[in-house]
Amino acid sequence: MPTPLYANLEQNRKALNQMFGQSTDFYAKPIRIRGVPCLVCMFDGLSNTEKLWVILLDRMSRAALPARDGASLFEWMMEETDLPLEPDPAKDFETVSAKLTGGLAVLLAEGCSQALLLSNQSMQGRSVAEPSGEGDIRGSREGFCDLLRVNVSLLRRLDRAEGLVIELFQLDTHTRTEAALCYDRDLAPPELVAEARRRLKASRLPLVLDSSYLAPDLQRGQGCFFSQVGYTERSATACAKLCEGKVVVLVNGSPFALILPYFFCEHFQSLDDYAQKAYFASFVRGVKYLAFWLAALLPGLYVCVAKFMPEVFPRQLLVRIAAAESATPWPLFLEMVLVILLLEIVREAGLRLPKPIGHSVSLVSALIIGDAAIGAGILSTPVVIVAALTSLAVFVLPSLYEPLTILRILFVLAAGLCGPLGVAALLVWMLTSICGAESFGLPHAAPFSPWQRGAVRDGLMRWPWPALADHPFTVRAVKRGGGPHR
């Protein structure tokens, strides 16, 4: 049960000092307003001291205040002044703690068991900038930053519909991280919103430093190898998902918004698809599907064909592959795994190094190591070419990088150890994982499995805007068992 505030100011001061008194950034100053003993509390760096005194003391010194005690002072300030006060006062220490760590100042008065909350936040954070992880040619350049209230304002500015709802609450963690559940009450199914709210509030993580910490709780109990929670740094993308009836979750301290539910086909879509000509957007989307299959299957298929079915290769190519493999000391599948791991090491090194030298180091190391390894006969040229082509295909789908990296290693091992049967079995498992999973009660592979109207229109291809406008998509149209997809 929350501990209520005391009517005695000294008891409140002692309780707050016990909670925060050892912190050097905790500011608590006794003052008198028209003869009434009061206490002002805030955290330095989260609240602006200068702004507080300008708002509070200057206005109070000029006001004709008829206060006789703390209760009358509280009532007069809430109802008769134009101070930037929160509409709901704090009545317990838990609320006071949450508001203080949220950047608000708290005013306590003698004889009053409630606290006034003044909005004087002054939190420093990264400014709104273009997202670095989602490269789109057209569309808004604004991306989410690390401050939750700024991210909420970006959404509200793009989506001015009356039905847009922003629910703010604290997660049940040691860090008391603040999160926002965003949805359009006119478009989002009530059961989807209720389930997302329940899962968020049921999360029992020790701390949340990024929105991705919440992903396992939001998709728990699902056996899909691919993530059923989407991420985006672009406020325009989040707004588009809200207009589809989906739920967006924002977490304080994270520039990545979570999208619920997230269908598998959405990995192949981008904002640019809807800003380009329909024929070119359909072509690009087809290239992305091709890149997915290349990234997942090409190394495994190469190992499988070269080891178990070499007659599939043309004669001249087969001779070259056989000559290259005979010069290396490794089994073919082990050589392929080694090259893939080396490419991942180079990528990780370039990613973790400082940006001015990271790209140069990764490029130079890949060229030098690859050329030296081929020249020394440690690796064969066809294997390096296949692995490099696969790595390029993975970069076409950055949101699928993690599962595709593991999948291509698994396909190589299955091909090397079990041959065509192993590749076929792993392929069936992958397709079953995609088609058999559900995301918040909706099929993860929608609209392809079960097949629904609109699967070609905006799933496999992108039809012209008049056709899309006549049949706008919302998650309400996705039905289990092949309902209509409008």
Side-chain angles (χ1 to χ4, degrees):
M1 291 292 293
T3 305
L5 293 170
Y6 304 109
N8 184 275
L9 185 62
E10 182 63 20
Q11 288 182 293
N12 288 329
R13 186 188 67 81
K14 290 181 178 179
L16 289 174
N17 282 335
Q18 186 176 2
M19 294 171 64
F20 308 112
Q22 300 300 320
S23 301
T24 56
D25 60 339
F26 178 62
Y27 179 90
K29 180 177 177 59
I31 62 173
R32 283 183 175 270
I33 300 179
R34 293 296 185 172
V36 179
C38 299
L39 181 70
V40 175
C41 304
M42 65 180 186
F43 278 104
D44 188 23
L46 299 182
S47 302
N48 190 309
T49 308
E50 181 180 358
K51 181 180 177 181
L52 171 66
W53 295 128
V54 169
I55 291 175
L56 185 61
L57 294 186
D58 183 65
R59 295 192 185 185
M60 290 299 97
S61 63
R62 300 171 186 272
L65 182 62
R68 299 176 301 275
D69 52 28
S72 59
L73 173 67
F74 175 89
E75 182 179 355
W76 182 82
M77 293 180 69
M78 281 292 295
E79 298 179 1
E80 303 295 335
T81 68
D82 58 352
L83 291 173
L85 299 171
E86 293 288 300
D88 299 320
K91 300 180 180 180
D92 53 74
F93 286 100
E94 285 73 12
T95 303
V96 168
S97 175
K99 298 301 182 180
L100 284 173
T101 54
L104 277 71
V106 174
L107 177 64
L108 296 159
E110 178 67 44
C112 183
S113 59
Q114 300 184 75
L116 293 171
L117 306 173
L118 292 91
S119 299
N120 65 323
Q121 296 98 326
S122 180
M123 291 180 282
Q124 300 298 318
R126 184 170 59 91
S127 60
V128 177
E130 184 176 358
S132 59
E134 294 181 57
D136 286 323
I137 299 175
R138 297 185 177 91
S140 172
R141 296 293 187 233
E142 290 183 339
F144 290 125
C145 64
D146 300 329
L147 296 180
L148 178 62
R149 302 306 173 108
V150 175
N151 294 340
V152 168
S153 68
L154 291 177
L155 269 186
R156 179 67 71 177
R157 188 170 62 183
L158 288 176
D159 189 348
R160 302 175 64 181
E162 297 178 358
L164 179 60
V165 178
I166 310 290
E167 296 183 11
L168 294 175
F169 55 90
Q170 278 191 335
L171 299 172
D172 187 13
T173 64
H174 177 72
T175 55
R176 301 297 178 90
T177 305
E178 195 174 20
L181 185 69
C182 314
Y183 59 93
D184 191 312
R185 64 169 177 263
D186 299 325
L187 299 175
E191 60 274 12
L192 169 62
V193 176
E195 181 63 16
R197 186 188 299 114
R198 185 191 68 80
R199 293 189 187 184
L200 283 173
K201 293 186 176 181
S203 176
R204 293 295 182 266
L205 296 173
L207 76 166
V208 174
L209 302 179
D210 185 74
S211 58
S212 58
Y213 286 39
L214 298 171
D217 284 331
L218 294 174
Q219 59 183 3
R220 60 174 179 237
Q222 306 293 341
C224 185
F225 188 74
F226 299 88
S227 175
Q228 298 162 5
V229 176
Y231 299 89
T232 183
E233 287 184 88
R234 288 191 175 273
S235 55
T237 301
C239 178
K241 299 305 178 182
L242 289 174
C243 293
E244 293 179 356
K246 297 184 179 181
V247 173
V248 172
V249 177
L250 300 171
V251 176
N252 192 36
S254 174
F256 293 93
L258 302 180
I259 301 171
L260 312 172
Y262 200 72
F263 304 125
F264 183 73
C265 66
E266 293 182 86
H267 292 291
F268 306 89
Q269 301 173 357
S270 68
L271 281 179
D272 278 343
D273 292 350
Y274 304 93
Q276 298 168 336
K277 289 289 187 178
Y279 63 85
F280 185 75
S282 299
F283 168 74
V284 171
R285 193 168 293 182
V287 169
K288 291 180 179 179
Y289 280 105
L290 175 62
F292 169 77
W293 291 112
L294 287 177
L297 295 176
L298 183 59
L301 288 178
Y302 173 79
V303 171
C304 179
V305 172
K307 186 176 180 180
F308 294 94
M309 298 179 293
E311 64 276 5
V312 174
F313 290 124
R315 180 179 178 82
Q316 292 182 342
L317 180 59
L318 179 59
V319 171
R320 294 179 180 274
I321 292 175
E325 293 303 326
S326 62
T328 60
W330 314 100
L332 180 57
F333 81 95
L334 187 59
E335 182 184 355
M336 182 66 75
V337 172
L338 178 62
V339 174
I340 292 175
L341 292 179
L342 286 176
L343 288 173
E344 288 302 312
I345 291 173
V346 171
R347 172 194 171 273
E348 195 68 16
L351 181 65
R352 305 304 172 187
L353 282 171
K355 288 185 178 180
I357 63 173
H359 297 296
S360 300
V361 169
S362 60
L363 179 61
V364 171
S365 60
L367 291 175
I368 293 176
I369 293 175
D371 183 67
I374 293 174
I378 299 175
L379 300 174
S380 64
T381 303
V383 168
V384 173
I385 293 175
V386 170
L389 180 60
T390 303
S391 296
L392 289 176
V394 172
F395 294 145
V396 176
L397 302 167
S399 61
L400 289 173
Y401 183 86
E402 298 173 5
L404 283 178
T405 300
I406 302 301
L407 275 175
R408 69 173 182 257
I409 295 177
L410 292 178
F411 272 109
V412 170
L413 294 176
L417 298 176
C418 303
L421 182 60
V423 173
L426 188 58
L427 179 61
V428 170
W429 171 81
M430 184 186 75
L431 295 176
T432 303
S433 175
I434 297 173
C435 299
E438 290 187 351
S439 180
F440 287 86
L442 300 175
H444 181 58
F448 300 118
S449 176
W451 186 267
Q452 301 171 17
R453 284 192 300 166
V456 175
R457 180 170 56 241
D458 195 22
L460 190 62
M461 302 174 64
R462 205 280 282 179
W463 284 17
W465 264 114
L468 297 181
D470 289 340
H471 304 278
F473 169 79
T474 65
V475 294
R476 292 177 184 267
V478 180
K479 302 293 184 181
R480 188 196 305 267
H485 181 80
R486 297 187 294 269

